[in-house]
PDB file of all heavy atoms in Angstrom:
ATOM      1  N   VAL A 325     -10.064 -14.506  31.677  1.00  0.00           N
ATOM      2  CA  VAL A 325      -9.480 -13.167  31.845  1.00  0.00           C
ATOM      3  C   VAL A 325     -10.622 -12.165  32.042  1.00  0.00           C
ATOM      4  O   VAL A 325     -11.539 -12.107  31.228  1.00  0.00           O
ATOM      5  CB  VAL A 325      -8.655 -12.747  30.599  1.00  0.00           C
ATOM      6  CG1 VAL A 325      -8.108 -11.313  30.784  1.00  0.00           C
ATOM      7  CG2 VAL A 325      -7.509 -13.714  30.374  1.00  0.00           C
ATOM      8  N   ALA A 326     -10.558 -11.406  33.133  1.00  0.00           N
ATOM      9  CA  ALA A 326     -11.675 -10.508  33.466  1.00  0.00           C
ATOM     10  C   ALA A 326     -11.603  -9.208  32.691  1.00  0.00           C
ATOM     11  O   ALA A 326     -11.542  -8.127  33.257  1.00  0.00           O
ATOM     12  CB  ALA A 326     -11.695 -10.255  34.978  1.00  0.00           C
ATOM     13  N   GLU A 327     -11.598  -9.334  31.373  1.00  0.00           N
ATOM     14  CA  GLU A 327     -11.570  -8.130  30.565  1.00  0.00           C
ATOM     15  C   GLU A 327     -12.987  -7.616  30.346  1.00  0.00           C
ATOM     16  O   GLU A 327     -13.928  -8.103  30.997  1.00  0.00           O
ATOM     17  CB  GLU A 327     -10.806  -8.353  29.234  1.00  0.00           C
ATOM     18  CG  GLU A 327     -11.116  -9.605  28.481  1.00  0.00           C
ATOM     19  CD  GLU A 327     -12.516  -9.633  27.995  1.00  0.00           C
ATOM     20  OE1 GLU A 327     -12.840  -8.925  27.006  1.00  0.00           O
ATOM     21  OE2 GLU A 327     -13.336 -10.339  28.603  1.00  0.00           O
ATOM     22  N   LEU A 328     -13.164  -6.673  29.475  1.00  0.00           N
ATOM     23  CA  LEU A 328     -14.445  -5.965  29.360  1.00  0.00           C
ATOM     24  C   LEU A 328     -15.647  -6.898  29.184  1.00  0.00           C
ATOM     25  O   LEU A 328     -16.646  -6.797  29.908  1.00  0.00           O
ATOM     26  CB  LEU A 328     -14.351  -4.972  28.197  1.00  0.00           C
ATOM     27  CG  LEU A 328     -15.582  -4.151  27.877  1.00  0.00           C
ATOM     28  CD1 LEU A 328     -16.073  -3.389  29.104  1.00  0.00           C
ATOM     29  CD2 LEU A 328     -15.274  -3.153  26.743  1.00  0.00           C
ATOM     30  N   THR A 329     -15.583  -7.801  28.234  1.00  0.00           N
ATOM     31  CA  THR A 329     -16.712  -8.688  27.956  1.00  0.00           C
ATOM     32  C   THR A 329     -17.038  -9.557  29.170  1.00  0.00           C
ATOM     33  O   THR A 329     -18.197  -9.746  29.553  1.00  0.00           O
ATOM     34  CB  THR A 329     -16.429  -9.577  26.736  1.00  0.00           C
ATOM     35  OG1 THR A 329     -16.103  -8.727  25.642  1.00  0.00           O
ATOM     36  CG2 THR A 329     -17.618 -10.440  26.379  1.00  0.00           C
ATOM     37  N   ARG A 330     -15.982 -10.084  29.794  1.00  0.00           N
ATOM     38  CA  ARG A 330     -16.139 -10.959  30.949  1.00  0.00           C
ATOM     39  C   ARG A 330     -16.788 -10.187  32.120  1.00  0.00           C
ATOM     40  O   ARG A 330     -17.715 -10.689  32.758  1.00  0.00           O
ATOM     41  CB  ARG A 330     -14.749 -11.475  31.355  1.00  0.00           C
ATOM     42  CG  ARG A 330     -14.728 -12.373  32.562  1.00  0.00           C
ATOM     43  CD  ARG A 330     -15.178 -13.775  32.188  1.00  0.00           C
ATOM     44  NE  ARG A 330     -15.136 -14.645  33.349  1.00  0.00           N
ATOM     45  CZ  ARG A 330     -15.883 -15.726  33.484  1.00  0.00           C
ATOM     46  NH1 ARG A 330     -16.703 -16.071  32.519  1.00  0.00           N
ATOM     47  NH2 ARG A 330     -15.784 -16.489  34.542  1.00  0.00           N
ATOM     48  N   GLN A 331     -16.312  -8.972  32.358  1.00  0.00           N
ATOM     49  CA  GLN A 331     -16.890  -8.156  33.431  1.00  0.00           C
ATOM     50  C   GLN A 331     -18.365  -7.903  33.136  1.00  0.00           C
ATOM     51  O   GLN A 331     -19.202  -7.960  34.039  1.00  0.00           O
ATOM     52  CB  GLN A 331     -16.155  -6.805  33.551  1.00  0.00           C
ATOM     53  CG  GLN A 331     -14.723  -6.874  33.999  1.00  0.00           C
ATOM     54  CD  GLN A 331     -14.569  -7.323  35.440  1.00  0.00           C
ATOM     55  OE1 GLN A 331     -14.873  -8.457  35.759  1.00  0.00           O
ATOM     56  NE2 GLN A 331     -14.102  -6.433  36.298  1.00  0.00           N
ATOM     57  N   GLY A 332     -18.674  -7.639  31.887  1.00  0.00           N
ATOM     58  CA  GLY A 332     -20.063  -7.424  31.489  1.00  0.00           C
ATOM     59  C   GLY A 332     -20.919  -8.647  31.796  1.00  0.00           C
ATOM     60  O   GLY A 332     -22.002  -8.548  32.383  1.00  0.00           O
ATOM     61  N   GLN A 333     -20.396  -9.828  31.420  1.00  0.00           N
ATOM     62  CA  GLN A 333     -21.119 -11.074  31.670  1.00  0.00           C
ATOM     63  C   GLN A 333     -21.390 -11.247  33.169  1.00  0.00           C
ATOM     64  O   GLN A 333     -22.479 -11.629  33.579  1.00  0.00           O
ATOM     65  CB  GLN A 333     -20.298 -12.268  31.182  1.00  0.00           C
ATOM     66  CG  GLN A 333     -20.365 -12.508  29.680  1.00  0.00           C
ATOM     67  CD  GLN A 333     -19.487 -13.677  29.284  1.00  0.00           C
ATOM     68  OE1 GLN A 333     -18.382 -13.822  29.825  1.00  0.00           O
ATOM     69  NE2 GLN A 333     -19.957 -14.480  28.362  1.00  0.00           N
ATOM     70  N   LEU A 334     -20.370 -10.944  33.967  1.00  0.00           N
ATOM     71  CA  LEU A 334     -20.510 -11.119  35.404  1.00  0.00           C
ATOM     72  C   LEU A 334     -21.578 -10.202  35.984  1.00  0.00           C
ATOM     73  O   LEU A 334     -22.411 -10.639  36.782  1.00  0.00           O
ATOM     74  CB  LEU A 334     -19.155 -10.870  36.103  1.00  0.00           C
ATOM     75  CG  LEU A 334     -18.067 -11.911  35.801  1.00  0.00           C
ATOM     76  CD1 LEU A 334     -16.741 -11.513  36.431  1.00  0.00           C
ATOM     77  CD2 LEU A 334     -18.496 -13.306  36.278  1.00  0.00           C
ATOM     78  N   ILE A 335     -21.549  -8.920  35.542  1.00  0.00           N
ATOM     79  CA  ILE A 335     -22.563  -7.986  36.048  1.00  0.00           C
ATOM     80  C   ILE A 335     -23.945  -8.420  35.592  1.00  0.00           C
ATOM     81  O   ILE A 335     -24.907  -8.443  36.377  1.00  0.00           O
ATOM     82  CB  ILE A 335     -22.297  -6.538  35.566  1.00  0.00           C
ATOM     83  CG1 ILE A 335     -20.918  -6.069  35.989  1.00  0.00           C
ATOM     84  CG2 ILE A 335     -23.364  -5.591  36.114  1.00  0.00           C
ATOM     85  CD1 ILE A 335     -20.485  -4.754  35.345  1.00  0.00           C
ATOM     86  N   ALA A 336     -24.033  -8.785  34.309  1.00  0.00           N
ATOM     87  CA  ALA A 336     -25.334  -9.179  33.751  1.00  0.00           C
ATOM     88  C   ALA A 336     -25.882 -10.403  34.487  1.00  0.00           C
ATOM     89  O   ALA A 336     -27.078 -10.502  34.766  1.00  0.00           O
ATOM     90  CB  ALA A 336     -25.202  -9.465  32.267  1.00  0.00           C
ATOM     91  N   ALA A 337     -25.021 -11.319  34.819  1.00  0.00           N
ATOM     92  CA  ALA A 337     -25.460 -12.542  35.483  1.00  0.00           C
ATOM     93  C   ALA A 337     -25.994 -12.260  36.879  1.00  0.00           C
ATOM     94  O   ALA A 337     -26.910 -12.927  37.350  1.00  0.00           O
ATOM     95  CB  ALA A 337     -24.286 -13.539  35.544  1.00  0.00           C
ATOM     96  N   SER A 338     -25.408 -11.253  37.532  1.00  0.00           N
ATOM     97  CA  SER A 338     -25.863 -10.996  38.893  1.00  0.00           C
ATOM     98  C   SER A 338     -27.021  -9.998  38.963  1.00  0.00           C
ATOM     99  O   SER A 338     -27.738  -9.949  39.946  1.00  0.00           O
ATOM    100  CB  SER A 338     -24.705 -10.519  39.767  1.00  0.00           C
ATOM    101  OG  SER A 338     -24.134  -9.353  39.199  1.00  0.00           O
ATOM    102  N   THR A 339     -27.189  -9.164  37.901  1.00  0.00           N
ATOM    103  CA  THR A 339     -28.263  -8.144  37.955  1.00  0.00           C
ATOM    104  C   THR A 339     -29.406  -8.455  36.998  1.00  0.00           C
ATOM    105  O   THR A 339     -30.468  -7.848  37.107  1.00  0.00           O
ATOM    106  CB  THR A 339     -27.704  -6.767  37.536  1.00  0.00           C
ATOM    107  OG1 THR A 339     -27.245  -6.859  36.192  1.00  0.00           O
ATOM    108  CG2 THR A 339     -26.585  -6.326  38.464  1.00  0.00           C
ATOM    109  N   PHE A 340     -29.228  -9.363  36.066  1.00  0.00           N
ATOM    110  CA  PHE A 340     -30.179  -9.666  34.983  1.00  0.00           C
ATOM    111  C   PHE A 340     -30.470  -8.450  34.126  1.00  0.00           C
ATOM    112  O   PHE A 340     -31.437  -8.437  33.373  1.00  0.00           O
ATOM    113  CB  PHE A 340     -31.492 -10.250  35.546  1.00  0.00           C
ATOM    114  CG  PHE A 340     -31.282 -11.505  36.313  1.00  0.00           C
ATOM    115  CD1 PHE A 340     -31.373 -11.514  37.692  1.00  0.00           C
ATOM    116  CD2 PHE A 340     -30.944 -12.680  35.651  1.00  0.00           C
ATOM    117  CE1 PHE A 340     -31.159 -12.682  38.404  1.00  0.00           C
ATOM    118  CE2 PHE A 340     -30.721 -13.843  36.362  1.00  0.00           C
ATOM    119  CZ  PHE A 340     -30.811 -13.851  37.749  1.00  0.00           C
ATOM    120  N   ASP A 341     -29.631  -7.405  34.257  1.00  0.00           N
ATOM    121  CA  ASP A 341     -29.868  -6.174  33.475  1.00  0.00           C
ATOM    122  C   ASP A 341     -29.066  -6.231  32.167  1.00  0.00           C
ATOM    123  O   ASP A 341     -28.170  -5.440  31.929  1.00  0.00           O
ATOM    124  CB  ASP A 341     -29.458  -4.966  34.325  1.00  0.00           C
ATOM    125  CG  ASP A 341     -29.864  -3.645  33.676  1.00  0.00           C
ATOM    126  OD1 ASP A 341     -30.501  -3.688  32.603  1.00  0.00           O
ATOM    127  OD2 ASP A 341     -29.515  -2.597  34.238  1.00  0.00           O
ATOM    128  N   ASN A 342     -29.403  -7.220  31.331  1.00  0.00           N
ATOM    129  CA  ASN A 342     -28.634  -7.433  30.095  1.00  0.00           C
ATOM    130  C   ASN A 342     -28.618  -6.207  29.205  1.00  0.00           C
ATOM    131  O   ASN A 342     -27.598  -5.852  28.630  1.00  0.00           O
ATOM    132  CB  ASN A 342     -29.216  -8.611  29.329  1.00  0.00           C
ATOM    133  CG  ASN A 342     -28.932  -9.915  30.020  1.00  0.00           C
ATOM    134  OD1 ASN A 342     -27.770 -10.258  30.212  1.00  0.00           O
ATOM    135  ND2 ASN A 342     -29.969 -10.617  30.422  1.00  0.00           N
ATOM    136  N   MET A 343     -29.778  -5.560  29.106  1.00  0.00           N
ATOM    137  CA  MET A 343     -29.903  -4.393  28.215  1.00  0.00           C
ATOM    138  C   MET A 343     -28.859  -3.328  28.529  1.00  0.00           C
ATOM    139  O   MET A 343     -28.089  -2.924  27.675  1.00  0.00           O
ATOM    140  CB  MET A 343     -31.325  -3.822  28.338  1.00  0.00           C
ATOM    141  CG  MET A 343     -31.511  -2.439  27.801  1.00  0.00           C
ATOM    142  SD  MET A 343     -31.677  -2.422  26.024  1.00  0.00           S
ATOM    143  CE  MET A 343     -33.469  -2.404  25.890  1.00  0.00           C
ATOM    144  N   THR A 344     -28.844  -2.865  29.785  1.00  0.00           N
ATOM    145  CA  THR A 344     -27.919  -1.804  30.147  1.00  0.00           C
ATOM    146  C   THR A 344     -26.465  -2.252  29.996  1.00  0.00           C
ATOM    147  O   THR A 344     -25.639  -1.567  29.402  1.00  0.00           O
ATOM    148  CB  THR A 344     -28.152  -1.364  31.611  1.00  0.00           C
ATOM    149  OG1 THR A 344     -29.542  -1.160  31.807  1.00  0.00           O
ATOM    150  CG2 THR A 344     -27.372  -0.106  31.922  1.00  0.00           C
ATOM    151  N   VAL A 345     -26.181  -3.430  30.543  1.00  0.00           N
ATOM    152  CA  VAL A 345     -24.798  -3.890  30.571  1.00  0.00           C
ATOM    153  C   VAL A 345     -24.225  -4.050  29.173  1.00  0.00           C
ATOM    154  O   VAL A 345     -23.172  -3.485  28.865  1.00  0.00           O
ATOM    155  CB  VAL A 345     -24.705  -5.233  31.334  1.00  0.00           C
ATOM    156  CG1 VAL A 345     -23.290  -5.809  31.186  1.00  0.00           C
ATOM    157  CG2 VAL A 345     -25.049  -5.061  32.799  1.00  0.00           C
ATOM    158  N   PHE A 346     -24.928  -4.778  28.302  1.00  0.00           N
ATOM    159  CA  PHE A 346     -24.313  -5.049  27.007  1.00  0.00           C
ATOM    160  C   PHE A 346     -24.370  -3.851  26.063  1.00  0.00           C
ATOM    161  O   PHE A 346     -23.562  -3.730  25.152  1.00  0.00           O
ATOM    162  CB  PHE A 346     -24.899  -6.315  26.392  1.00  0.00           C
ATOM    163  CG  PHE A 346     -24.435  -7.550  27.126  1.00  0.00           C
ATOM    164  CD1 PHE A 346     -25.311  -8.343  27.829  1.00  0.00           C
ATOM    165  CD2 PHE A 346     -23.070  -7.864  27.157  1.00  0.00           C
ATOM    166  CE1 PHE A 346     -24.863  -9.455  28.531  1.00  0.00           C
ATOM    167  CE2 PHE A 346     -22.629  -8.967  27.862  1.00  0.00           C
ATOM    168  CZ  PHE A 346     -23.518  -9.765  28.555  1.00  0.00           C
ATOM    169  N   THR A 347     -25.330  -2.950  26.318  1.00  0.00           N
ATOM    170  CA  THR A 347     -25.302  -1.700  25.564  1.00  0.00           C
ATOM    171  C   THR A 347     -24.044  -0.912  25.929  1.00  0.00           C
ATOM    172  O   THR A 347     -23.329  -0.401  25.055  1.00  0.00           O
ATOM    173  CB  THR A 347     -26.543  -0.843  25.876  1.00  0.00           C
ATOM    174  OG1 THR A 347     -27.706  -1.626  25.622  1.00  0.00           O
ATOM    175  CG2 THR A 347     -26.574   0.423  25.027  1.00  0.00           C
ATOM    176  N   LEU A 348     -23.769  -0.867  27.233  1.00  0.00           N
ATOM    177  CA  LEU A 348     -22.557  -0.175  27.675  1.00  0.00           C
ATOM    178  C   LEU A 348     -21.299  -0.828  27.099  1.00  0.00           C
ATOM    179  O   LEU A 348     -20.417  -0.161  26.572  1.00  0.00           O
ATOM    180  CB  LEU A 348     -22.473  -0.217  29.216  1.00  0.00           C
ATOM    181  CG  LEU A 348     -23.281   0.826  29.973  1.00  0.00           C
ATOM    182  CD1 LEU A 348     -23.214   0.537  31.480  1.00  0.00           C
ATOM    183  CD2 LEU A 348     -22.752   2.231  29.696  1.00  0.00           C
ATOM    184  N   VAL A 349     -21.259  -2.149  27.176  1.00  0.00           N
ATOM    185  CA  VAL A 349     -20.078  -2.882  26.672  1.00  0.00           C
ATOM    186  C   VAL A 349     -19.878  -2.569  25.184  1.00  0.00           C
ATOM    187  O   VAL A 349     -18.763  -2.267  24.752  1.00  0.00           O
ATOM    188  CB  VAL A 349     -20.244  -4.407  26.911  1.00  0.00           C
ATOM    189  CG1 VAL A 349     -19.188  -5.187  26.152  1.00  0.00           C
ATOM    190  CG2 VAL A 349     -20.161  -4.715  28.407  1.00  0.00           C
ATOM    191  N   ALA A 350     -20.979  -2.622  24.437  1.00  0.00           N
ATOM    192  CA  ALA A 350     -20.876  -2.349  22.999  1.00  0.00           C
ATOM    193  C   ALA A 350     -20.348  -0.946  22.731  1.00  0.00           C
ATOM    194  O   ALA A 350     -19.459  -0.750  21.895  1.00  0.00           O
ATOM    195  CB  ALA A 350     -22.244  -2.538  22.334  1.00  0.00           C
ATOM    196  N   PHE A 351     -20.890   0.028  23.482  1.00  0.00           N
ATOM    197  CA  PHE A 351     -20.441   1.401  23.273  1.00  0.00           C
ATOM    198  C   PHE A 351     -18.967   1.601  23.656  1.00  0.00           C
ATOM    199  O   PHE A 351     -18.257   2.370  23.014  1.00  0.00           O
ATOM    200  CB  PHE A 351     -21.343   2.392  24.042  1.00  0.00           C
ATOM    201  CG  PHE A 351     -22.494   2.851  23.210  1.00  0.00           C
ATOM    202  CD1 PHE A 351     -23.794   2.349  23.443  1.00  0.00           C
ATOM    203  CD2 PHE A 351     -22.316   3.766  22.186  1.00  0.00           C
ATOM    204  CE1 PHE A 351     -24.863   2.739  22.660  1.00  0.00           C
ATOM    205  CE2 PHE A 351     -23.377   4.186  21.401  1.00  0.00           C
ATOM    206  CZ  PHE A 351     -24.653   3.658  21.631  1.00  0.00           C
ATOM    207  N   ILE A 352     -18.557   0.907  24.696  1.00  0.00           N
ATOM    208  CA  ILE A 352     -17.153   1.046  25.107  1.00  0.00           C
ATOM    209  C   ILE A 352     -16.222   0.506  24.008  1.00  0.00           C
ATOM    210  O   ILE A 352     -15.244   1.145  23.639  1.00  0.00           O
ATOM    211  CB  ILE A 352     -16.882   0.347  26.458  1.00  0.00           C
ATOM    212  CG1 ILE A 352     -17.640   1.095  27.565  1.00  0.00           C
ATOM    213  CG2 ILE A 352     -15.388   0.353  26.782  1.00  0.00           C
ATOM    214  CD1 ILE A 352     -17.620   0.386  28.921  1.00  0.00           C
ATOM    215  N   TYR A 353     -16.571  -0.670  23.458  1.00  0.00           N
ATOM    216  CA  TYR A 353     -15.729  -1.210  22.371  1.00  0.00           C
ATOM    217  C   TYR A 353     -15.695  -0.223  21.193  1.00  0.00           C
ATOM    218  O   TYR A 353     -14.645   0.034  20.615  1.00  0.00           O
ATOM    219  CB  TYR A 353     -16.255  -2.568  21.885  1.00  0.00           C
ATOM    220  CG  TYR A 353     -15.735  -3.730  22.684  1.00  0.00           C
ATOM    221  CD1 TYR A 353     -16.581  -4.493  23.467  1.00  0.00           C
ATOM    222  CD2 TYR A 353     -14.373  -4.065  22.650  1.00  0.00           C
ATOM    223  CE1 TYR A 353     -16.111  -5.571  24.214  1.00  0.00           C
ATOM    224  CE2 TYR A 353     -13.904  -5.153  23.388  1.00  0.00           C
ATOM    225  CZ  TYR A 353     -14.772  -5.894  24.169  1.00  0.00           C
ATOM    226  OH  TYR A 353     -14.291  -6.935  24.893  1.00  0.00           O
ATOM    227  N   LEU A 354     -16.859   0.317  20.882  1.00  0.00           N
ATOM    228  CA  LEU A 354     -16.930   1.260  19.771  1.00  0.00           C
ATOM    229  C   LEU A 354     -16.054   2.492  20.051  1.00  0.00           C
ATOM    230  O   LEU A 354     -15.282   2.939  19.200  1.00  0.00           O
ATOM    231  CB  LEU A 354     -18.377   1.684  19.538  1.00  0.00           C
ATOM    232  CG  LEU A 354     -18.660   2.572  18.322  1.00  0.00           C
ATOM    233  CD1 LEU A 354     -18.293   1.833  17.034  1.00  0.00           C
ATOM    234  CD2 LEU A 354     -20.118   2.996  18.279  1.00  0.00           C
ATOM    235  N   ALA A 355     -16.148   2.980  21.312  1.00  0.00           N
ATOM    236  CA  ALA A 355     -15.367   4.157  21.679  1.00  0.00           C
ATOM    237  C   ALA A 355     -13.873   3.877  21.609  1.00  0.00           C
ATOM    238  O   ALA A 355     -13.067   4.757  21.312  1.00  0.00           O
ATOM    239  CB  ALA A 355     -15.738   4.614  23.090  1.00  0.00           C
ATOM    240  N   LEU A 356     -13.495   2.631  21.910  1.00  0.00           N
ATOM    241  CA  LEU A 356     -12.068   2.284  21.841  1.00  0.00           C
ATOM    242  C   LEU A 356     -11.583   2.141  20.404  1.00  0.00           C
ATOM    243  O   LEU A 356     -10.450   2.479  20.081  1.00  0.00           O
ATOM    244  CB  LEU A 356     -11.810   0.967  22.597  1.00  0.00           C
ATOM    245  CG  LEU A 356     -11.994   1.005  24.124  1.00  0.00           C
ATOM    246  CD1 LEU A 356     -11.813  -0.408  24.689  1.00  0.00           C
ATOM    247  CD2 LEU A 356     -11.015   1.966  24.772  1.00  0.00           C
ATOM    248  N   SER A 357     -12.473   1.624  19.536  1.00  0.00           N
ATOM    249  CA  SER A 357     -12.017   1.341  18.173  1.00  0.00           C
ATOM    250  C   SER A 357     -12.049   2.577  17.281  1.00  0.00           C
ATOM    251  O   SER A 357     -11.262   2.691  16.341  1.00  0.00           O
ATOM    252  CB  SER A 357     -12.839   0.209  17.547  1.00  0.00           C
ATOM    253  OG  SER A 357     -14.158   0.652  17.347  1.00  0.00           O
ATOM    254  N   LEU A 358     -12.951   3.526  17.589  1.00  0.00           N
ATOM    255  CA  LEU A 358     -13.050   4.707  16.720  1.00  0.00           C
ATOM    256  C   LEU A 358     -11.739   5.491  16.612  1.00  0.00           C
ATOM    257  O   LEU A 358     -11.340   5.835  15.490  1.00  0.00           O
ATOM    258  CB  LEU A 358     -14.181   5.631  17.185  1.00  0.00           C
ATOM    259  CG  LEU A 358     -15.599   5.181  16.768  1.00  0.00           C
ATOM    260  CD1 LEU A 358     -16.642   6.173  17.279  1.00  0.00           C
ATOM    261  CD2 LEU A 358     -15.696   5.025  15.251  1.00  0.00           C
ATOM    262  N   PRO A 359     -11.050   5.771  17.703  1.00  0.00           N
ATOM    263  CA  PRO A 359      -9.779   6.495  17.545  1.00  0.00           C
ATOM    264  C   PRO A 359      -8.802   5.744  16.646  1.00  0.00           C
ATOM    265  O   PRO A 359      -8.089   6.353  15.836  1.00  0.00           O
ATOM    266  CB  PRO A 359      -9.221   6.576  18.971  1.00  0.00           C
ATOM    267  CG  PRO A 359     -10.391   6.371  19.856  1.00  0.00           C
ATOM    268  CD  PRO A 359     -11.349   5.516  19.109  1.00  0.00           C
ATOM    269  N   LEU A 360      -8.796   4.414  16.760  1.00  0.00           N
ATOM    270  CA  LEU A 360      -7.912   3.626  15.901  1.00  0.00           C
ATOM    271  C   LEU A 360      -8.297   3.780  14.444  1.00  0.00           C
ATOM    272  O   LEU A 360      -7.445   3.902  13.557  1.00  0.00           O
ATOM    273  CB  LEU A 360      -7.973   2.147  16.296  1.00  0.00           C
ATOM    274  CG  LEU A 360      -7.283   1.754  17.601  1.00  0.00           C
ATOM    275  CD1 LEU A 360      -7.611   0.312  17.951  1.00  0.00           C
ATOM    276  CD2 LEU A 360      -5.777   1.947  17.477  1.00  0.00           C
ATOM    277  N   THR A 361      -9.610   3.751  14.191  1.00  0.00           N
ATOM    278  CA  THR A 361     -10.089   3.918  12.818  1.00  0.00           C
ATOM    279  C   THR A 361      -9.648   5.264  12.254  1.00  0.00           C
ATOM    280  O   THR A 361      -9.127   5.341  11.145  1.00  0.00           O
ATOM    281  CB  THR A 361     -11.628   3.838  12.777  1.00  0.00           C
ATOM    282  OG1 THR A 361     -12.037   2.661  13.443  1.00  0.00           O
ATOM    283  CG2 THR A 361     -12.145   3.844  11.353  1.00  0.00           C
ATOM    284  N   PHE A 362      -9.839   6.323  13.061  1.00  0.00           N
ATOM    285  CA  PHE A 362      -9.460   7.663  12.580  1.00  0.00           C
ATOM    286  C   PHE A 362      -7.950   7.764  12.387  1.00  0.00           C
ATOM    287  O   PHE A 362      -7.482   8.346  11.399  1.00  0.00           O
ATOM    288  CB  PHE A 362      -9.959   8.727  13.548  1.00  0.00           C
ATOM    289  CG  PHE A 362     -11.452   8.842  13.555  1.00  0.00           C
ATOM    290  CD1 PHE A 362     -12.166   8.906  14.752  1.00  0.00           C
ATOM    291  CD2 PHE A 362     -12.173   8.876  12.359  1.00  0.00           C
ATOM    292  CE1 PHE A 362     -13.560   8.995  14.752  1.00  0.00           C
ATOM    293  CE2 PHE A 362     -13.552   8.979  12.353  1.00  0.00           C
ATOM    294  CZ  PHE A 362     -14.255   9.028  13.556  1.00  0.00           C
ATOM    295  N   LEU A 363      -7.199   7.178  13.318  1.00  0.00           N
ATOM    296  CA  LEU A 363      -5.731   7.244  13.215  1.00  0.00           C
ATOM    297  C   LEU A 363      -5.262   6.551  11.938  1.00  0.00           C
ATOM    298  O   LEU A 363      -4.449   7.065  11.186  1.00  0.00           O
ATOM    299  CB  LEU A 363      -5.089   6.585  14.451  1.00  0.00           C
ATOM    300  CG  LEU A 363      -3.559   6.636  14.490  1.00  0.00           C
ATOM    301  CD1 LEU A 363      -3.109   8.079  14.693  1.00  0.00           C
ATOM    302  CD2 LEU A 363      -3.018   5.753  15.594  1.00  0.00           C
ATOM    303  N   THR A 364      -5.843   5.370  11.666  1.00  0.00           N
ATOM    304  CA  THR A 364      -5.466   4.630  10.454  1.00  0.00           C
ATOM    305  C   THR A 364      -5.756   5.457   9.203  1.00  0.00           C
ATOM    306  O   THR A 364      -4.913   5.577   8.320  1.00  0.00           O
ATOM    307  CB  THR A 364      -6.249   3.296  10.374  1.00  0.00           C
ATOM    308  OG1 THR A 364      -6.075   2.609  11.610  1.00  0.00           O
ATOM    309  CG2 THR A 364      -5.752   2.433   9.232  1.00  0.00           C
TER     310      THR A 364
END
Side-chain angles (χ1 to χ4, degrees):
Chain A
V325 178
E327 45 65 75
L328 179 55
T329 305
R330 179 78 179 155
Q331 294 292 67
Q333 280 178 321
L334 292 175
I335 302 170
S338 57
T339 62
F340 300 107
D341 189 2
N342 289 300
M343 164 79 96
T344 311
V345 172
F346 288 115
T347 305
L348 278 173
V349 168
F351 270 104
I352 293 172
Y353 274 113
L354 186 62
L356 293 175
S357 68
L358 281 180
L360 287 172
T361 308
F362 292 133
L363 183 68
T364 308

